[in-house]
Amino acid sequence: MPYVMKMTGEVDPEKLKEAFQAMINRHEILRTAFVTVDGEPVQKILDNAEADFEYSESNEPDKKIIAEYLCAFDLSNPPLLRVKLVNKGSYHLFILDMHHIVSDGMSENILVNELTALYNGQELAPLTHQYKDYSEWMRTRDLSSQAEYWKNQFNDEIPVLDMPLDYPRPQVQSHVGSTVSVMTDVEVSDSIKALSEKTGATEYMIFLAALMVTLSKYSRQEDIVIGSPISGRTHKDTEHMLGMFINTLAMRGYPEGEKTFGEFLNEIRETCLNAYENQEYPFEELVEAVEVHRDLSRNPIFDVLMVMQNNEEAEANLNNVQLADDNNAELSAAKFDLDYNIIPRGNRYEISLQFCTALFTRETAERILANYLEVFKNTASNSHQKLSDVEMLTESDKTQITEKFNDTYADYQTNKTLAELFEEQVSKTPENIAVIFEDKSLTYAELNRKANSLAYTLRNNGVKPNDFVAIIADRSIEMICGVYGVVKSGAAYVPMEPTYPKERIQYMFKDCKPKAVLTYTKENIDLPDEIPVINLDLNSDIWNSGSENLVLANKPDDVAYCIYTSGTSGEPKGVIIENHSVANHLNVMRNKFYAESGNGAAPLFTSFAFDFVVPAIFGTILYGDTLAVMKDVQSLARYSEENTLAVFKITPSY
């Protein structure tokens, strides 16, 4: 628990060291070792312990000095408190570091107040009790009824918060963190206070309810657990003791969408009041008593902590010395995934979010905090709205989603068809390899001649723009020739996998009524007698029908292809896509994925009757790249060992 200040004025290092030594002599907890005896943790109080006080001069940056000084404690070697005073010339940098096992928030205030008095030469009243007395008193307490209450709160499956993360969760929980903060405006603070007066809920309860709503919207869960520390000083004799008294209360709420915020707040109010009545049952014992899935990557029971500070701030008034917080100090620790600290500042609230940097970026933490603040604005002023209607997006979030994320504008040629774009690319790179399959390949010029021959054949069979031509083919060069032949004829191709069930193929024939069928497969397919069937075998006579470019017949708004859905929700549905839509999509794909892909091929290895492969078929050849057609995924694995893949569009299963 580090504490960093700047001291200006007449700082006396020796007097400061003496004050710390007096503190250690006064409080047994500061000279307590924590060791294990027969596997059990015990406190061992030393008669004497020398203050760990270091004084030096340095011109190094504060951040560097702090980072180098803060390190792990040896719990068996007290005092578990150390101080470093660094003379920086114009001021002194004061670093106090304590381990949490001997201190809590109220202890910090007690320490600062007593340290101030001792430095200024004042005498302190003797202590009547020490921390060991509190420990022994707690051991004699009968907390069975409190234990029963907490076990009932978690007697069912305990939810695990499923927040979207920026990074994969480490296998072992990381405690490296950073902090972002925001200050509420006066209007929000006033509305929270007004809601508190109206409902009888404390400001803490309102903050807790709003945080549960925020986490629910992020996780899409309606069962949320948030940890919340409570002072634990239930006995008046503990008021002036140093030590670790706080207990953690696991607050569980059910922010279901149909509830109003007012209804949910009333539930949280009851939850909090009941928790306060049973606050002494140690959280550590609750973890052992209930069915918790222990995970080294997470804190047990909850991942998010929220605390609302209500301790009076201690004022350090050293003689002839002025103290101020060091705003340059970055204290990088994170006990939890997210740790919310709410501090009243006059008529406003400062909300500080400590986040684990192994899980979240600073930008995400700032957004989470802004969304939390937005929930206040929309609930404190309108507690009657349903939780499902509570808005947490900020205006900048809405702009990002509706304008930036949705900005699909791109310059592309709306007045050209796929056939025109193909011919333009052929003229630019006629000798480049356009398509390969196993040991076969075609240059752009060769592919264009094959496509022209097939297009002549199709037109001679009466095919015209917006007619459909079915292609039933195994993955091969012939299949690609078939696609580009249909494109150059001006018609639209309909891909059909040869392995489709007979009923599906017959349904598709009946539905799209193709003017011709192109085939190249080892499968035995039943084809309609009334439709012309053209074999795509490269040894066929159709490739001698003419090799010159045809007069292009279709327009940008004519259909380019039709792909059928799976039919899992009924009959398969044919989705028709026009030429200009494909051109638009390809342009976006090129800008996002292909532009800096470098030299190499793009593989086609899944079903060509799946719209997933359209960017591969056209996004390569229309832009001068090579399309590598793969027989199966094993072929792809072998190919990639010896060749460069420029861009690779793939599903997670592969």
Side-chain angles (χ1 to χ4, degrees):
M1 297 177 65
Y3 185 73
V4 181
M5 299 284 287
K6 281 184 177 180
M7 292 181 165
T8 54
E10 301 175 12
V11 180
D12 187 332
E14 193 59 35
K15 191 185 291 186
L16 198 58
K17 180 179 180 180
E18 291 173 0
F20 270 103
Q21 186 63 61
M23 289 286 296
I24 292 169
N25 296 341
R26 174 178 170 81
H27 292 277
E28 289 182 353
I29 190 65
L30 297 182
R31 42 192 166 87
T32 296
F34 296 87
V35 296
T36 55
V37 176
D38 297 329
E40 293 294 324
V42 298
Q43 300 178 49
K44 182 180 179 182
I45 302 168
L46 306 187
D47 293 331
N48 299 290
E50 185 178 349
D52 186 348
F53 185 93
E54 181 181 338
Y55 177 73
S56 64
E57 298 180 0
S58 175
N59 293 318
E60 295 282 354
D62 289 5
K63 289 182 182 179
K64 183 178 180 182
I65 295 172
I66 295 166
E68 290 177 350
Y69 183 67
L70 300 181
C71 61
F73 283 93
D74 176 1
L75 299 187
S76 66
N77 186 23
L80 302 182
L81 169 150
R82 52 178 168 245
V83 178
K84 185 180 180 72
L85 185 66
V86 184
N87 188 340
K88 299 294 296 291
S90 59
Y91 65 91
H92 284 73
L93 179 66
F94 172 77
I95 311 170
L96 183 151
D97 196 13
M98 278 191 297
H99 196 282
H100 214 327
I101 201 169
V102 300
S103 180
D104 56 19
M106 193 172 289
S107 295
E108 281 189 334
N109 287 349
I110 294 169
L111 188 145
V112 171
N113 288 332
E114 292 191 357
L115 184 67
T116 299
L118 291 167
Y119 182 89
N120 293 337
Q122 301 172 13
E123 285 196 13
L124 299 175
L127 293 174
T128 59
H129 295 85
Q130 295 282 350
Y131 190 80
K132 70 171 185 295
D133 302 314
Y134 166 76
S135 297
E136 286 301 304
W137 176 67
M138 282 297 293
R139 285 163 63 93
T140 64
R141 303 290 308 284
D142 179 9
L143 301 177
S144 57
S145 63
Q146 296 192 29
E148 192 65 26
Y149 167 79
W150 286 108
K151 290 174 187 176
N152 287 336
Q153 292 295 301
F154 295 95
N155 61 3
D156 58 351
E157 184 177 354
I158 301 173
V160 177
L161 186 66
D162 187 20
M163 285 285 287
L165 307 176
D166 293 312
Y167 309 111
R169 184 178 291 276
Q171 291 185 344
V172 177
Q173 186 177 5
S174 169
H175 294 287
V176 179
S178 189
T179 304
V180 294
S181 299
V182 68
M183 189 76 75
T184 66
D185 54 39
V186 176
E187 289 76 15
V188 172
S189 302
D190 288 345
S191 62
I192 291 173
K193 290 171 182 174
L195 183 60
S196 175
E197 293 177 4
K198 177 182 176 182
T199 61
T202 64
E203 294 164 28
Y204 162 81
M205 295 171 185
I206 295 171
F207 277 102
L208 181 63
L211 180 55
M212 286 189 176
V213 172
T214 306
L215 297 179
S216 175
K217 289 185 177 292
Y218 263 97
S219 65
R220 300 186 180 185
Q221 294 170 273
E222 294 183 332
D223 185 357
I224 303 292
V225 182
I226 294 176
S228 193
I230 194 162
S231 72
R233 296 175 187 254
T234 56
H235 196 290
K236 62 182 180 62
D237 289 340
T238 62
E239 290 179 1
H240 301 290
M241 286 187 199
L242 292 185
M244 172 61 175
F245 293 87
I246 62 171
N247 190 23
T248 304
L249 306 181
M251 302 296 198
R252 190 172 187 177
Y254 302 90
E256 294 156 348
E258 289 303 305
K259 296 175 183 175
T260 67
F261 184 75
E263 291 169 343
F264 180 58
L265 178 59
N266 189 54
E267 292 178 7
I268 293 301
R269 178 178 176 275
E270 292 301 313
T271 297
C272 291
L273 293 176
N274 290 330
Y276 300 156
E277 291 179 3
N278 297 277
Q279 64 174 281
E280 293 173 295
Y281 181 61
F283 174 74
E284 293 76 15
E285 292 189 19
L286 174 64
V287 172
E288 298 298 328
V290 297
E291 291 291 330
V292 178
H293 174 65
R294 298 309 293 265
D295 184 345
L296 290 177
S297 70
R298 292 177 177 271
N299 193 66
I301 298 184
F302 63 85
D303 295 307
V304 177
L305 188 84
M306 194 197 93
V307 56
M308 187 164 183
Q309 300 291 353
N310 54 11
N311 295 332
E312 293 183 5
E313 289 192 22
E315 293 187 10
N317 298 311
L318 307 183
N319 291 337
N320 301 317
V321 178
Q322 294 76 46
L323 294 95
D325 289 332
D326 188 347
N327 296 324
N328 293 320
E330 275 192 15
L331 307 177
S332 55
K335 300 178 181 70
F336 306 93
D337 291 1
L338 298 170
D339 187 345
Y340 291 80
N341 196 359
I342 300 160
I343 310 164
R345 303 287 192 195
N347 59 350
R348 302 165 72 188
Y349 300 95
E350 179 184 354
I351 307 174
S352 174
L353 175 58
Q354 199 171 48
F355 62 97
C356 177
T357 52
L359 303 177
F360 303 99
T361 64
R362 176 171 292 271
E363 180 185 12
T364 296
E366 290 172 346
R367 185 182 303 113
I368 292 172
L369 195 53
N371 295 150
Y372 181 33
L373 198 58
E374 198 67 23
V375 169
F376 294 147
K377 296 178 181 178
N378 292 301
T379 54
S381 59
N382 181 11
S383 61
H384 299 295
Q385 64 179 315
K386 290 183 177 181
L387 297 185
S388 57
D389 296 331
V390 172
E391 182 65 78
M392 77 168 185
L393 295 180
T394 65
E395 288 303 318
S396 61
D397 287 336
K398 294 175 184 176
T399 301
Q400 182 100 342
I401 293 168
T402 59
E403 297 181 18
K404 295 181 180 178
F405 288 164
N406 203 38
D407 181 11
T408 57
Y409 176 81
D411 289 323
Y412 70 99
Q413 296 173 317
T414 58
N415 61 339
K416 291 186 178 180
T417 62
L418 298 180
E420 289 177 281
L421 295 173
F422 175 53
E423 288 186 356
E424 288 179 2
Q425 190 58 52
V426 171
S427 66
K428 294 176 185 176
T429 57
E431 300 308 316
N432 285 8
I433 299 298
V435 57
I436 58 176
F437 176 74
E438 296 182 337
D439 58 349
K440 300 178 183 177
S441 66
L442 291 177
T443 65
Y444 273 80
E446 290 170 336
L447 176 60
N448 187 49
R449 287 194 290 270
K450 298 289 185 187
N452 287 337
S453 295
L454 180 56
Y456 277 117
T457 301
L458 290 171
R459 287 194 183 179
N460 290 337
N461 279 277
V463 172
K464 57 185 184 300
N466 293 314
D467 283 343
F468 294 116
V469 175
I471 304 177
I472 305 178
D474 300 325
R475 284 192 288 281
S476 58
I477 279 184
E478 288 79 358
M479 180 187 80
I480 300 303
C481 291
V483 170
Y484 276 88
V486 175
V487 164
K488 296 209 74 175
S489 75
Y493 74 93
V494 182
M496 299 182 186
E497 274 293 327
T499 55
Y500 278 165
K502 175 181 177 181
E503 294 76 12
R504 177 179 172 90
I505 293 177
Q506 290 177 344
Y507 170 82
M508 293 168 67
F509 275 126
K510 182 179 178 182
D511 188 59
C512 71
K513 301 179 178 61
K515 290 293 182 68
V517 182
L518 309 182
T519 65
Y520 186 76
T521 177
K522 298 175 182 177
E523 302 290 333
N524 186 19
I525 308 294
D526 289 335
L527 301 173
D529 295 332
E530 68 276 10
I531 302 175
V533 177
I534 300 172
N535 192 326
L536 294 176
D537 190 311
L538 291 180
N539 296 318
S540 172
D541 291 339
I542 64 160
W543 306 111
N544 301 320
S545 299
S547 59
E548 299 299 320
N549 287 338
L550 297 78
V551 175
L552 299 178
N554 58 353
K555 302 183 293 297
D557 57 357
D558 286 333
V559 180
Y561 65 83
C562 173
I563 288 182
Y564 277 79
T565 63
S566 63
T568 52
S569 59
E571 296 288 359
K573 299 171 182 65
V575 181
I576 57 174
I577 304 297
E578 298 172 353
N579 277 260
H580 67 91
S581 297
V582 183
N584 180 27
H585 177 64
L586 293 177
N587 188 71
V588 174
M589 289 291 294
R590 291 293 301 189
N591 290 338
K592 285 188 176 182
F593 305 116
Y594 288 73
E596 298 180 12
S597 61
N599 297 323
L604 188 160
F605 59 95
T606 55
S607 170
F608 86 122
F610 179 26
D611 60 359
F612 186 84
V613 304
V614 171
I617 293 174
F618 295 110
T620 50
I621 294 175
L622 297 187
Y623 291 88
D625 295 332
T626 299
L627 175 64
V629 181
M630 300 294 157
K631 184 177 181 180
D632 48 35
V633 72
Q634 288 77 19
S635 302
L636 172 63
R638 290 191 294 272
Y639 179 86
S640 63
E641 289 177 354
E642 301 175 0
N643 300 276
T644 299
L645 292 176
V647 63
F648 195 6
K649 188 179 181 187
I650 191 169
T651 57
S653 58
Y654 276 100

